[in-house]
Amino acid sequence: MLRKIVEEIIQYRILPDTVRHWRELHGGTDSAVGVIGTPVMPNMYVVKSNTSERIAAESRFYRIYQGISLLPRIKYVDPEYRFFIYEFIPGETRYRRGTKQALMSELIDRMIRHYVHPELPDDFEWVEDPKRVERDIDYAASVIGSHLTEEDHVLIKDIHVRRSKRMSKKDLYVLHGDFGVHNFLFDRGRLSGIIDPIPKVGRQIYDLLYAFCSSPDDLHLSILLNAAEQMNGGSTNTLELKEDMVLALYFRIATCLIHHPEDLVQYQNAWKEWKRLLGNG
């Protein structure tokens, strides 16, 4: 599939004539992805193919936030949304654990603080829709099973009931939606780019917590509270933050069991810490 797309790009001269050397990339993404360039500069552009819905949403996200330097700049979008092309960002998804406080501060300053409201309320799916969250909880519970106690599963349902009463479609932002270290690029230890959005609308705290929980190191209240206050420009409702965090951590434990089971013990230790902070330890 990707080969045919690249052949089309070359045939119709979508990129300069000299840009015709390419290779496919393989990794965790569910897209077909390749880099294309010249013999001297082999990594000039990224070609990405997926469903038309995903390509339309992702390319739209990049255009909404084209002024954010961490995001790639779009070169071309196929009119039928079969693929799009963006400028290559040097870096690797090799997050150095133990640097979370600095990373969170940088993500807020360079990304989250620049989030905007959607043009229309239904531009993207509402990620914190209580009905959607309820389904996500049921799925996470089926994955986690006995790795947490029955009391833990009940706690999450109780938190969801309380959160649902304060969830509103007002004051929503266009979010990255998959805002974790697996999508952060680092070049010589420094944050150089953010890729692979699955755009949603929601509160800014959703992406903040997603990033915070996406690695098992330094999952401490002091670091998260500093980040939340930096993002909000002032005080934060600590109880609501704790409940939001425990739910985000619950979802992350399910993800960990599927993709990174070697991190489970660290996440379980963090779970115990946050339960104590909620008064349930």
Side-chain angles (χ1 to χ4, degrees), residues 125-136 160 164 167 169 201:
E125 182 184 12
W126 181 24
V127 72
E128 293 182 299
D129 180 346
K131 292 181 180 179
R132 173 200 163 103
V133 173
E134 185 174 0
R135 293 193 299 269
D136 290 345
H160 173 56
S164 295
M167 288 297 111
K169 293 195 75 172
V201 294

Side-chain angles (χ1 to χ4, degrees), residues 71-203:
L71 299 177
R73 288 182 291 182
I74 290 181
K75 183 71 175 178
Y76 177 82
V77 179
D78 173 55
E80 297 178 0
Y81 297 111
R82 295 171 299 146
F83 67 93
F84 74 114
I85 304 170
Y86 60 81
E87 294 182 2
F88 178 83
I89 298 177
E92 298 177 307
T93 55
R94 291 185 181 178
Y95 163 66
R96 184 160 48 89
R97 294 183 179 182
T99 60
K100 183 160 288 178
Q101 182 163 315
L103 175 62
M104 298 303 291
S105 180
E106 191 169 9
L107 290 171
I108 292 164
D109 281 343
R110 300 182 65 188
M111 186 82 178
I112 295 176
R113 213 169 255 191
H114 302 282
Y115 281 174
V116 299
H117 300 294
E119 291 184 4
L120 298 171
D122 298 323
D123 276 354
F124 299 102
E125 182 184 12
W126 181 24
V127 72
E128 293 182 299
D129 180 346
K131 292 181 180 179
R132 173 200 163 103
V133 173
E134 185 174 0
R135 293 193 299 269
D136 290 345
I137 289 172
D138 288 342
Y139 173 72
S142 71
V143 173
I144 295 170
S146 61
H147 291 285
L148 294 178
T149 68
E150 186 59 34
E151 178 190 65
D152 295 331
H153 295 299
V154 171
L155 170 63
I156 287 298
K157 291 187 176 182
D158 289 343
I159 288 174
H160 173 56
V161 170
R162 290 193 292 273
R163 287 178 79 254
S164 295
K165 295 175 181 177
R166 56 184 169 86
M167 288 297 111
S168 169
K169 293 195 75 172
K170 297 179 180 178
D171 200 31
L172 302 183
Y173 294 83
V174 179
L175 307 177
H176 181 283
D178 196 15
F179 201 57
V181 294
H182 54 290
N183 286 327
F184 300 161
L185 300 177
F186 300 89
D187 188 18
R188 289 167 289 186
R190 296 185 62 85
L191 183 66
S192 60
I194 297 174
I195 56 173
D196 293 348
I198 305 177
K200 310 289 182 185
V201 294
R203 300 174 301 153

Side-chain angles (χ1 to χ4, degrees), residues 200-265:
K200 310 289 182 185
V201 294
R203 300 174 301 153
Q204 292 170 310
I205 191 67
Y206 178 88
D207 266 6
L208 183 75
L209 286 169
Y210 200 113
F212 186 69
C213 293
S214 66
S215 68
D217 57 303
D218 292 340
L219 296 177
H220 306 307
L221 175 60
S222 58
I223 294 177
L224 179 59
L225 188 57
N226 285 339
E229 290 179 348
Q230 178 185 345
M231 183 184 72
N232 295 332
S235 61
T236 296
N237 185 314
T238 307
L239 177 58
E240 290 184 1
L241 180 66
K242 289 176 183 177
E243 290 193 336
D244 287 342
M245 169 61 190
V246 168
L247 182 58
L249 183 57
Y250 186 77
F251 290 144
R252 188 62 201 181
I253 289 172
T255 300
C256 161
L257 284 163
I258 296 170
H259 297 291
H260 303 284
E262 68 277 8
D263 291 332
L264 178 61
V265 171

Side-chain angles (χ1 to χ4, degrees), residues 37-94:
T38 68
V40 178
M41 299 180 63
N43 299 332
M44 292 180 67
Y45 301 101
V46 173
V47 181
K48 186 170 184 178
S49 175
N50 203 312
T51 63
S52 59
E53 292 80 9
R54 284 287 297 273
I55 294 300
E58 186 169 343
S59 59
R60 187 177 178 195
F61 177 87
Y62 287 142
R63 282 178 166 159
I64 289 172
Y65 292 123
Q66 58 186 328
I68 296 179
S69 62
L70 287 172
L71 299 177
R73 288 182 291 182
I74 290 181
K75 183 71 175 178
Y76 177 82
V77 179
D78 173 55
E80 297 178 0
Y81 297 111
R82 295 171 299 146
F83 67 93
F84 74 114
I85 304 170
Y86 60 81
E87 294 182 2
F88 178 83
I89 298 177
E92 298 177 307
T93 55
R94 291 185 181 178

